[in-house]
Each structure stands twice: as structure tokens, then as C-alpha cells.
Amino acid sequence: MPWVKQLSMASSRNISTNSSQPHVTSKGNMRRTVQPTTVPAYTATANTTTNPAFAVAVGMVNNIINEIPLPRWAIYAIAAVGAILVIVVCICICCKCCCKNTKKTKKKDPKLDLKGLNANTTTALVQPNVTDVDYGAAKKPRGKLLYSLEYNAPHSELIVGIKQADNLMAMDMGGSSDPYVKVYIIPDKSKTYETKVLRNTLRPVFNENFNFQVPKSSLGKSSVVMQVFDFNRFSKHEMIGEIRLPLAEKDLNHVSEAWQELSEPAKFEEENLGEICFSLRYVPVNSKLTVVILEAKNLKSMDIGGTSDPYVKVQLALDKRKWKKRKTSIKKKTLNPYYNESFTFDVNFDLIKRVNLVISVWDHDAMSRNDAMGKIFLGCDASGNQLRHWADMLSNPRRPVAQWHSLLTSEQVNSTLTLKSKVPGKIRH
């Protein structure tokens, strides 16, 4: 029926209208409006309009976490452990890099600046923090000795006075010593004198004089040796310290008296083995080290006839390992050979501070083994005049620097410069 159809359509419109509009009820004169209830949609963030990119990222992370078949606390724990591992690895890498840089800084030697250096620059060039030292240099305080020197020219007599000592090193268990002094002249060493022994004292007073026959012509080559010993009745006497005085450095025209610190005992007694003269020249531009063996004099006699057949061996050592070597010709039956022979070696500037030059004199024997007559070495590991000669060469590039050197025994040199086997084929710069 048409009216029924219209009525149903009207009721459906009212229902749809009431669902979206407030519902009004009346009771008497009072009216109450009921608002429709809506459920707010869940949002991931409180503010999605101000930072949409962040909201998208958070949403993606949440989606990924929801897809992992683990509880959230387990996922968070795994993430925390991973972050800690990453931090620890980063810290270890940083520490390793810092330690590596520190080691490189320590191993790197300062470059030698040859520009602007003069001939007065010696030890500071190759050993910046070390002063020139000689064999038997003092390493710890051993006390001091008061001595006097007097030379009687008409009688060719040297008078050595041993006055007193002070602050001697204690050698006995009770904190004292029983000191006495031994005196002799080298290289002759024909006479040896000893003072009396003074018991239980570190400040002995001797006041004793000793006379030595020393010709005036031998004064320049002689030295006075004063050695202080601690007396032991039933064991070897221990040396407290010694003083070696080259007479060429002393003014013997009048009586002299002086205090001097005792030095560590020398390992080897001085022996006159002769002298050798050679020149050194280093050119950093082409890395050439030139050694010219000029001459030698007063060499030790090795043959029955009172002569020798000397030749000179020139050897380079790198990092105290045998590296390169050459030798001169043999000069027959002479103790004063003249060579004037030149040898050139390729030595890079980076290696010059690691190189030592060993000069040795040998007596040639056709029927037996060659005998060593004397030895000396120069380089950054040397001391005294040898170090000074090497430093003068470095401070005067492209200029030959010649100097005389007194030969030493092989034992003396080998005790300081112990050479190992040959350098490997590949050299590390």
C-alpha cells in the first residue's frame, strides 16, 4: 500500500538522522541533550602533525617488531646487548689506533738538519741528550781523591802525591771500607806503588809520594793511573774506583794539586797499539759515504824481524749487523804504512744514524792466519773522539774530515760493539 511504504521510508530517515545528531529527551519542563559517544582512534604518537617523518619511522619500527616472533622484553634485551658490543668494539679500535700512533712517534728519530750546522756541532748531532764520554766513565758516585803532580826536569822524575780521599763507596757489610791506593804509569807500567792500608774509613788520609822515571819526550804519551782498592785478607781486593790522568793535558811546569771524582774501573788496560789517520765524507744528495785510509804509525810489531805486513779492513755495520766491507792493499815490512786509498759506500740518509764504521788493522801472514793489530769504530754508538769525528762529518756535508785515532784492542771494541750476523737481503728504511 502506498501509505505504508511512505511511513517506512520516513522512519528509516529518522533513525539515520538520530544516529548522527544529539538525542533530545524531555521530562516535564526540563530538556536533556545526549551527545553521541565516539571511540578515539589509537595513534602512535601524541603529535603526528608536527613531525610526520618521525611518526612514519616509528610506525615502521613497530611493524617490524610486531612481525618478530619474540616478546618485546626479549627484543629490547637483544638490542641493548648489540649496542653495548658496538660501543666496546669502537673503543677498542680507538685505543689500538692511539697506541699505534704513540709507538710510531717514539720510534721515529728526529731528522738530521744538516743546514746551518757548523763544525762545533758534535755530540748533540747524533746523541742529543748524551755528552761525550770516554772508556771507564763514572756511572755512580764512588768518592773523590786529592792528588798532586810535580815534574823534576833535570832528573826526568815525576813525583805523584796521594794526599787523601773523601766519601768513598762502602764495600764492606758494616758500611765501611779498608782503602789503599795503587799508582803506576802507562804505557810503560815498569813500576807499581801502593799506599798503606787504612782500616774502617771512608775518608782516609795517606800523604804519600811516589817517584817515577819518565823522560820528557815520553810525557805526551804517558798517563798516571791511581786506583783505589778495598783490602780483603781472604778474598780478592775490590776496586772502588780509579783516575786516569793523561800527562799531555797537565801543566807540569809547577806543582799542581787537585780533587777529582773517582770513575768506574776501566775494563781493559790501555796499550799502545799505534795510530791511524783517515778521512770521512758524506754527501746526503747522492747518499755516498767515502772513507779514505791515509796512513798509520807506530803499529805493533807482529813478525820476528820486528816489523809487520799491515793492511786495513773497512767495514760498515747496520743495526750492529755486518753489512759491507772493503780492504786496502798490503804494505810489506813496515810499522808506518802509507795507503791513501779511498772506498765509497752507498748509505741512504735514512740509514746514516743506524750505521757504525769499523776500522781494523791486520798483519798479513802467508802461511798462517792473519793477526789483528788494532781496531776502532765510529758512529752513533761510539764515544769520545770517535763520536766527535763522526758528528763533524755529518755537520759538514760534502767536505772531507780527517783525524788521527789511537787504535784499541779487539776486545775493547767488541765489548762495546757486538756485531751480529749479516744484514738480511732486504733493508728496512
Side-chain angles (χ1 to χ4, degrees):
M1 296 179 70
W3 61 271
V4 175
K5 187 178 181 179
Q6 292 178 356
L7 181 61
S8 63
M9 293 176 62
S11 62
S12 62
R13 291 192 191 98
N14 290 334
I15 292 172
S16 62
T17 302
N18 292 337
S19 62
S20 60
Q21 293 182 357
H23 179 68
V24 179
T25 59
S26 61
K27 186 178 181 179
N29 295 330
M30 297 181 62
R31 301 182 64 188
R32 184 167 59 89
T33 302
V34 179
Q35 298 290 340
T37 61
T38 60
V39 179
Y42 175 79
T43 57
T45 61
N47 188 4
T48 60
T49 59
T50 58
N51 195 352
F54 180 76
V56 172
V58 172
M60 292 178 62
V61 171
N62 286 330
N63 292 335
I64 294 173
I65 293 175
N66 292 332
E67 291 178 359
I68 298 175
L70 292 174
R72 293 234 171 188
W73 65 267
I75 297 174
Y76 292 152
I78 294 172
V81 172
I84 293 174
L85 289 176
V86 171
I87 293 173
V88 171
V89 170
C90 293
I91 292 175
C92 293
I93 293 173
C94 293
C95 293
K96 188 174 182 179
C97 293
C98 293
C99 295
K100 190 174 182 180
N101 293 333
T102 304
K103 290 181 179 178
K104 287 184 177 180
T105 304
K106 290 182 179 179
K107 291 182 179 179
K108 188 175 181 181
D109 294 326
K111 294 184 177 180
L112 300 178
D113 186 7
L114 296 178
K115 296 182 179 179
L117 296 177
N118 51 41
N120 295 329
T121 303
T122 56
T123 311
L125 183 64
V126 291
Q127 292 182 347
N129 298 323
V130 181
T131 57
D132 284 1
V133 293
D134 294 322
Y135 290 100
K139 294 183 179 180
K140 53 185 177 181
R142 296 172 175 271
K144 56 184 179 179
L145 181 68
L146 177 64
Y147 65 89
S148 66
L149 293 178
E150 180 182 359
Y151 186 69
N152 188 342
H155 296 86
S156 299
E157 189 175 58
L158 178 68
I159 304 171
V160 180
I162 304 298
K163 303 301 180 181
Q164 65 183 82
D166 192 23
N167 294 326
L168 294 179
M169 181 187 296
M171 307 297 289
D172 298 337
M173 296 295 292
S176 186
S177 296
D178 302 326
Y180 69 95
V181 182
K182 182 184 295 184
V183 186
Y184 58 90
I185 305 293
I186 55 173
D188 184 22
K189 202 177 180 180
S190 58
K191 287 186 178 181
T192 301
Y193 296 100
E194 294 181 2
T195 67
K196 57 181 177 293
V197 178
L198 298 181
R199 301 285 184 178
N200 298 324
T201 178
L202 301 179
R203 293 177 173 84
V205 178
F206 300 101
N207 288 326
E208 298 185 41
N209 295 325
F210 306 102
N211 300 337
F212 297 90
Q213 292 295 323
V214 182
K216 192 172 183 180
S217 59
S218 301
L219 288 176
K221 302 177 182 179
S222 301
S223 298
V224 179
V225 180
M226 295 169 280
Q227 298 174 327
V228 182
F229 285 86
D230 174 50
F231 176 81
N232 292 306
R233 184 175 297 276
F234 302 106
S235 62
K236 182 179 178 180
H237 299 182
E238 297 179 285
M239 189 185 300
I240 299 175
E242 69 175 12
I243 296 174
R244 292 175 179 261
L245 300 175
L247 296 179
E249 301 176 1
K250 298 296 179 180
D251 183 8
L252 299 177
N253 294 324
H254 59 276
V255 180
S256 61
E257 186 174 298
W259 283 95
Q260 186 167 330
E261 296 289 335
L262 296 174
S263 63
E264 183 180 3
K267 295 181 180 179
F268 304 95
E269 190 58 83
E270 295 181 6
E271 184 178 0
N272 186 14
L273 300 176
E275 299 175 273
I276 186 169
C277 182
F278 55 88
S279 71
L280 302 176
R281 179 174 180 261
Y282 183 68
V283 182
V285 177
N286 56 11
S287 302
K288 298 292 184 181
L289 173 63
T290 302
V291 181
V292 181
I293 304 299
L294 297 173
E295 59 179 314
K297 64 181 181 181
N298 300 325
L299 295 180
K300 185 177 180 181
S301 174
M302 305 296 290
D303 297 337
I304 299 176
T307 61
S308 298
D309 301 328
Y311 70 93
V312 181
K313 187 185 295 184
V314 182
Q315 185 177 33
L316 287 184
L318 178 63
D319 295 331
K320 295 188 176 182
R321 290 181 178 272
K322 298 176 183 179
W323 188 21
K324 303 176 180 181
K325 64 179 180 179
R326 304 280 294 277
K327 63 181 180 179
T328 68
S329 58
I330 302 171
K331 302 300 179 180
K332 296 289 186 176
K333 297 181 180 181
T334 179
L335 299 181
N336 301 283
Y338 180 81
Y339 298 100
N340 196 22
E341 297 182 28
S342 177
F343 306 98
T344 301
F345 301 91
D346 292 326
V347 181
N348 291 333
F349 184 76
D350 296 333
L351 302 177
I352 195 64
K353 288 187 67 177
R354 297 159 52 190
V355 167
N356 287 289
L357 173 65
V358 182
I359 305 291
S360 56
V361 182
W362 295 77
D363 175 52
H364 175 73
D365 287 324
M367 304 300 295
S368 62
R369 185 177 181 181
N370 298 338
D371 299 320
M373 302 174 65
K375 201 172 186 179
I376 196 172
F377 83 95
L378 296 84
C380 298
D381 295 320
S383 61
N385 293 328
Q386 294 78 33
L387 175 63
R388 183 175 288 106
H389 191 183
W390 187 260
D392 287 343
M393 175 199 70
L394 295 177
S395 61
N396 294 276
R398 299 179 296 276
R399 174 186 170 188
V401 181
Q403 186 173 323
W404 282 94
H405 293 275
S406 296
L407 292 172
L408 305 173
T409 63
S410 298
E411 291 78 11
Q412 283 179 280
V413 175
N414 295 339
S415 66
T416 305
L417 184 69
T418 304
L419 297 183
K420 302 177 183 178
S421 57
K422 293 184 178 180
V423 176
K426 188 176 180 180
I427 299 174
R428 296 182 178 180
H429 295 269

